[in-house]
Amino acid sequence: MEKFHGHEIFVQLLRLLLLLLLSLQCLSSDYTPPSKYFINCGSSSTISDTTRTFVGDVSSDSFTLSPKQEAVEDSSPSPATSQLYRTARLFRSPSSYEFEIDPIGIYLVRLHFFPFSSSTDLFTALFDVSVSGLPLLLHNFTVQNTSNLPLIKEFLLTINISKFIVKFKPSQGSSFAFVNAIEVFNAPDSFIPDSALLVTPAGSNNSSYKGISSRVLQKVHRINVGGSDIEPNSDTLWRKWVPDDPYLFNKSAARNRSVSTETSYQQILSEYKDSTRYIAPPLVYMSAKEMNKNDSDPLQFFNISWGFDVSKNARHLLRVHFCDFISLSMSDNPWLNLYIYSFFSEKIDNIPLGAPFFLDFVVVSDDSGFLNVSIGPQILSPVNNSFLNGLEIMEIMEELRWVSMENESKKKNTPLLVGLVVGGLALFCIVIVVLLMRSKCRKEKPAEASHWLPVTVDGGLSSHSRVYEATIHGSPVPHLNLGLKIPFAEIQSATKNFSSKLMVGKGGFGKVYQGTLRNGMKVAVKRSQPGHGQGLPEFQTEIFVLSKIRHRHLVSLIGYCDERNEMILVYEFMQNGTLRNHLYDSDLPCLSWKQRLEICIGAARGLHYLHTGSEGGIIHRDVKSTNILLDENFVAKVADFGLSRAGLLHQTHVSTAVKGTIGYLDPEYFRTQKLTEKSDVYSFGVVLLEVLCARPAINPLLPREQVNLAEWVMVRQKEGLLEHVIDPLLVGKVNLNSLRKFGETAEKCLQEDGADRPTMGDVVWDLEYAFQLQQTAVQREPLDDSTNDASSTFPLPNVQRYPSYSLSIDVTHVPTRRNDGSETTESEVFSQLRIDDGR
Ligand SMILES: *[C@@H]1O[C@H](CO)[C@@H](O)[C@H](O)[C@H]1NC(C)=O
Ligand SMILES: *[C@@H]1O[C@H](CO)[C@@H](O)[C@H](O)[C@H]1NC(C)=O
Ligand SMILES: *[C@@H]1O[C@H](CO)[C@@H](O)[C@H](O)[C@H]1NC(C)=O
Ligand SMILES: *[C@@H]1O[C@H](CO)[C@@H](O)[C@H](O)[C@H]1NC(C)=O
Ligand SMILES: *[C@@H]1O[C@H](CO)[C@@H](O)[C@H](O)[C@H]1NC(C)=O
Ligand SMILES: *[C@@H]1O[C@H](CO)[C@@H](O)[C@H](O)[C@H]1NC(C)=O
Ligand SMILES: *[C@@H]1O[C@H](CO)[C@@H](O)[C@H](O)[C@H]1NC(C)=O
Ligand SMILES: *[C@@H]1O[C@H](CO)[C@@H](O)[C@H](O)[C@H]1NC(C)=O
Ligand SMILES: *[C@@H]1O[C@H](CO)[C@@H](O)[C@H](O)[C@H]1NC(C)=O
Ligand SMILES: *[C@@H]1O[C@H](CO)[C@@H](O)[C@H](O)[C@H]1NC(C)=O
Ligand SMILES: *[C@@H]1O[C@H](CO)[C@@H](O)[C@H](O)[C@H]1NC(C)=O
Ligand SMILES: *[C@@H]1O[C@H](CO)[C@@H](O)[C@H](O)[C@H]1NC(C)=O
């Protein structure tokens, strides 16, 4: 027996050993942390610790410093100061270190600055640091006001040439530069991805940001969530990780968790990226923050949020690290939501137990100076918990920091970074880009100018970076965002000189054309009637509002043109036209209930953002189904901001003229002329009924009591006959609970008293709930939905009928029932029916 046991153990051990060898082989495959370059500047001595050796820069055969510059030494070093920080190299004229690079690939570059006391006051240094190729890593850099010393600047970049130069250049004649230590070493392959999902403060449209590896990344934060400091010597790539506590938004929402068993790196074959010990060391995955909840109360449900200080309006690579060492089995491990700012969430479920993994995003920061990240359980999570192990933020350095280094780029062996090819002309263009982007980024008042000539910029720049050269002209829209200005000639070319073949719509404002800009982007061009006296305020409002906001569910303004008394707005092209088009009076295929819900949720999100987003307090004032457009994927976007009003939420605004569209108009606003965001909620309620019933808000051809949709449906609801009014095409295809929730939501929106109506945020929530009810129903009981009499059991709450109001309607503007298909309804795009005076 004993022998047998011994044998078994031996076999098991062998197996384990084999596994271990295999896993080691596949994880550390061909990467071993390199031994160079680690440089001890201003010294001839070599400093070693257990993991690496810094060599003095006085003499070395593998790198060169030219021209040689003076060295300084700490005159009275504290015993605690590392040897590395007791000497520095001082540069009173431009000087470079040159490194032999082998292999080419992704490199980590670290610069150490420790201003000790010496004959020269190092605190007064002011200088630039650049590397071969073009990026300026540090500009007008000083250590003056830094509190945590030594200061270590870390960059990640792809080096593609055999000679890599790091150049120090004093900013002014009398100034100087210094550095205590330099690291330049090769990182593992695919240490950073080339593309990642692009997230903006307004959310994401699933597009990815490409070309990360051709950019320079600068480390901003590296956080060991739930744990303590990890010193460079304990990290596989000599990084420093710090605890997350100072960044926690609400300290009592989270608590530390840790394990003592070492993380086992493994291939997990999931949708997430497997981590390796070089991506992050075990210590990162051995600690986490989790929800600080009362363990005897499983219903607690809240987020843990962090806010990290970052550059405003800049792109960042955000990497989040997870390892679930908390759960005991896959059946009780949490399903997470990861939120970036308020409008982006990523579902993280199917989390493998005990296996470390990570996710990357490219996040555009807003202008608050913070990048906010939250985690929380999903609504249907088997357990209400959430956790996070680590987080890194690296800023993607932009072109505007790139400068030409005249004498360094000798034509023949011009050093290149991957993906960056700059010819003489492009260089000139970039200089212009730099100037313009700079003025845009700093929100300086742009020069008074219009009439821009296009300059084509090769590569890397998005359509938003299109640049136009200026000549002087008077402009009727002097204070608007000039970055969005498009020359009339470009618009003429995009629309084939306003060819009637490209006309897709016609409305009160003017005509709408489909067009293609020279960069290939499809756009909708809205041109006001030449000589049409009205509309300038609307034109300006629209540019003003749309140039300030970007949201997945708001139609983006690409640009505008105000040359030659034209008022032209250029929008992203919405392939599928208006929501109304897909509901009635057209031949288009019927939208499913799920599609309708998704569209309503999208539009509600857009409005919610208008009301509460970063530029919050904007009231749309003309919410209707023709102002909700659908892109090629049927993603809803709210359009037409011509009537919107900004900044009114906290003061009761009494407007001089009631504006809006008959049938959608909030009766309270009509009565009192007091405008609040709840007027949009009312109009949105009418849109919900339109979606439910597939008929116009006003249809004068119907019997009198049916003319006004909102009035009629609410009456039917009171009578318990709502099933008689829903779109016949939906009957039998809608889950009853979902329908009930939807009906309740519309009803709440249509409350007589604005104060009783929900906010758009509540509406989003309710609609999402209705969506979930439909989803779960479809999954669980596919047959139930095909019963035809289902809608007759639809329960109907008792509602007060609000007093009806009547308006005198200019009959020529009233939409009439049409049977001739999409062409006529297309022409409703952007059409407006307005009551210019309420009385
Ligand atoms: C850099 O600093 C110098 C001297 O303080 C100043 O003249 C120059 O404008 C600065 N440049 C920038 C871009 O801040
Ligand atoms: C450093 O701080 C001082 C005082 O707070 C300020 O006047 C100075 O401009 C700061 N210098 C830099 C480079 O930020
Ligand atoms: C997605 O958003 C990006 C940046 O905001 C934009 O460039 C791109 O055109 C958008 N794509 C779609 C399909 O909307
Ligand atoms: C974005 O991607 C997710 C997952 O692939 C998908 O469910 C969603 O519909 C996509 N949204 C858009 C607008 O493409
Ligand atoms: C978590 O651990 C870190 C490092 O030990 C400590 O600084 C921090 O106070 C702890 N936070 C909480 C909420 O206990
Ligand atoms: C912080 O979180 C705790 C626990 O969730 C909660 O009770 C408390 O209200 C929160 N405080 C703030 C200011 O949000
Ligand atoms: C935790 O929840 C239980 C049950 O809800 C309650 O009795 C107890 O007081 C709570 N404990 C704390 C510390 O709040
Ligand atoms: C999580 O909390 C939510 C909200 O309190 C509750 O509805 C849900 O049942 C909870 N889930 C579990 C598994 O306890
Ligand atoms: C983002 O985080 C910062 C810092 O914690 C906080 O002041 C700010 O309110 C947060 N913003 C949001 C929208 O949560
Ligand atoms: C968590 O944060 C997100 C984003 O800010 C928010 O949408 C969500 O409602 C929050 N969840 C809870 C339970 O507070
Ligand atoms: C550029 O190089 C030339 C000769 O190689 C030299 O005369 C000139 O001074 C340099 N210019 C600068 C700005 O360094
Ligand atoms: C740099 O990399 C690109 C693509 O990776 C390659 O095409 C190019 O030849 C490389 N340049 C040099 C100088 O090695």
Side-chain angles (χ1 to χ4, degrees), residues 404-589:
S404 75
M405 289 166 61
E406 328 78 56
N407 270 1
E408 241 160 41
S409 45
K410 289 162 208 142
K411 272 276 140 56
K412 217 166 126 203
N413 53 349
T414 305
L416 289 180
L417 288 176
V418 180
L420 192 96
V421 184
V422 180
L425 175 69
L427 203 75
F428 167 67
C429 298
I430 283 183
V431 171
I432 296 175
V433 174
V434 168
L435 292 175
L436 285 169
M437 283 172 84
R438 208 175 264 175
S439 69
K440 199 173 152 192
C441 291
R442 295 194 181 159
K443 302 210 162 134
E444 283 167 5
K445 226 179 219 160
E448 192 78 11
S450 65
H451 190 82
W452 301 73
L453 299 168
V455 172
T456 324
V457 179
D458 293 317
L461 297 170
S462 75
S463 59
H464 290 302
S465 309
R466 294 183 62 79
V467 175
Y468 300 102
E469 210 180 349
T471 58
I472 305 299
H473 247 281
S475 164
V477 194
H479 297 298
L480 295 171
N481 187 344
L482 288 182
L484 292 175
K485 221 176 223 293
I486 297 181
F488 187 68
E490 163 97 31
I491 291 173
Q492 271 182 314
S493 119
T495 57
K496 303 212 166 79
N497 199 17
F498 303 102
S499 156
S500 56
K501 287 196 188 110
L502 292 177
M503 196 174 90
V504 292
K506 196 174 176 182
F509 177 92
K511 292 173 179 167
V512 181
Y513 301 84
Q514 174 184 340
T516 310
L517 294 180
R518 264 180 260 177
N519 63 6
M521 180 187 250
K522 276 185 128 187
V523 293
V525 175
K526 182 167 143 186
R527 183 193 199 189
S528 72
Q529 223 102 40
H532 191 269
Q534 287 175 355
L536 186 60
E538 281 87 352
F539 179 69
Q540 290 176 333
T541 308
E542 182 124 15
I543 298 170
F544 180 72
V545 171
L546 277 177
S547 62
K548 288 171 82 172
I549 51 179
R550 297 253 163 220
H551 187 269
R552 183 169 141 71
H553 295 292
L554 300 176
V555 166
S556 298
L557 185 69
I558 307 293
Y560 69 93
C561 172
D562 57 359
E563 279 168 45
R564 310 188 196 170
N565 288 328
E566 291 277 357
M567 290 186 287
I568 297 175
L569 295 167
V570 180
Y571 304 88
E572 61 178 315
F573 185 69
M574 300 293 286
Q575 189 81 42
N576 277 313
T578 68
L579 167 60
R580 177 202 175 116
N581 245 357
H582 293 268
L583 293 174
Y584 47 87
D585 289 351
S586 82
D587 305 330
L588 296 174

Side-chain angles (χ1 to χ4, degrees), residues 192-404:
I192 46 171
D194 189 51
S195 69
L197 184 68
L198 180 64
V199 177
T200 70
S204 170
N205 64 8
N206 281 358
S207 69
S208 61
Y209 178 91
K210 298 192 182 67
I212 300 171
S213 57
S214 63
R215 300 303 191 96
V216 177
L217 306 186
Q218 179 174 190
K219 184 217 106 179
V220 185
H221 292 288
R222 183 167 285 141
I223 311 287
N224 178 22
V225 180
S228 45
D229 286 311
I230 301 176
E231 295 300 332
N233 278 344
S234 309
D235 181 87
T236 43
L237 295 174
W238 306 286
R239 292 160 292 202
K240 182 168 170 68
W241 301 73
V242 299
D244 63 303
D245 296 79
Y247 306 97
L248 264 179
F249 190 56
N250 176 353
K251 296 208 165 22
S252 54
R255 66 182 173 221
N256 288 341
R257 260 311 266 271
S258 61
V259 279
S260 52
T261 48
E262 170 123 346
T263 307
S264 86
Y265 293 90
Q266 46 195 276
Q267 287 183 302
I268 47 182
L269 298 178
S270 75
E271 64 210 271
Y272 310 112
K273 296 192 212 170
D274 303 347
S275 187
T276 68
R277 60 178 55 248
Y278 298 112
I279 294 290
L283 281 174
V284 169
Y285 295 112
M286 289 161 68
S287 67
K289 277 272 184 326
E290 68 168 351
M291 273 170 72
N292 185 22
K293 57 185 171 124
N294 179 343
D295 285 320
S296 50
D297 183 1
L299 296 185
Q300 277 186 304
F301 194 83
F302 54 86
N303 290 337
I304 308 174
S305 302
W306 294 266
F308 300 95
D309 46 310
V310 295
S311 304
K312 297 176 179 179
N313 305 311
R315 295 195 181 94
H316 300 84
L317 178 66
L318 170 69
R319 174 168 289 179
V320 283
H321 298 272
F322 294 94
C323 179
D324 184 359
F325 57 76
I326 297 169
S327 308
L328 299 173
S329 76
M330 283 289 276
S331 59
D332 76 346
N333 79 347
W335 300 354
L336 309 185
N337 266 324
L338 170 77
Y339 302 98
I340 301 174
Y341 290 115
S342 304
F343 294 105
F344 174 80
S345 70
E346 173 89 4
K347 289 188 167 27
I348 301 175
D349 34 39
N350 275 322
I351 298 175
L353 291 187
F357 63 93
F358 66 100
L359 285 83
D360 288 322
F361 303 92
V362 169
V363 181
V364 184
S365 55
D366 63 13
D367 50 15
S368 71
F370 284 100
L371 195 166
N372 293 17
V373 174
S374 309
I375 50 166
Q378 290 175 25
I379 287 179
L380 298 175
S381 173
V383 50
N384 281 338
N385 197 4
S386 62
F387 66 92
L388 179 68
N389 301 67
L391 178 146
E392 293 170 90
I393 297 176
M394 285 169 263
E395 182 174 338
I396 301 177
M397 298 178 72
E398 295 297 338
E399 282 96 342
L400 71 118
R401 308 234 182 131
W402 293 49
V403 296
S404 75

Side-chain angles (χ1 to χ4, degrees), residues 41-91:
C41 301
S43 169
S44 55
S45 51
T46 294
I47 302 169
S48 296
D49 61 20
T50 50
T51 55
R52 56 186 168 166
T53 300
F54 282 85
V55 289
D57 70 346
V58 167
S59 65
S60 169
D61 40 12
S62 62
F63 66 91
T64 53
L65 166 63
S66 63
K68 285 271 189 282
Q69 296 270 354
E70 65 187 280
V72 286
E73 207 169 330
D74 194 343
S75 47
S76 52
S78 116
T81 306
S82 147
Q83 285 292 336
L84 197 57
Y85 297 135
R86 293 184 183 191
T87 61
R89 182 65 62 186
L90 205 69
F91 311 95

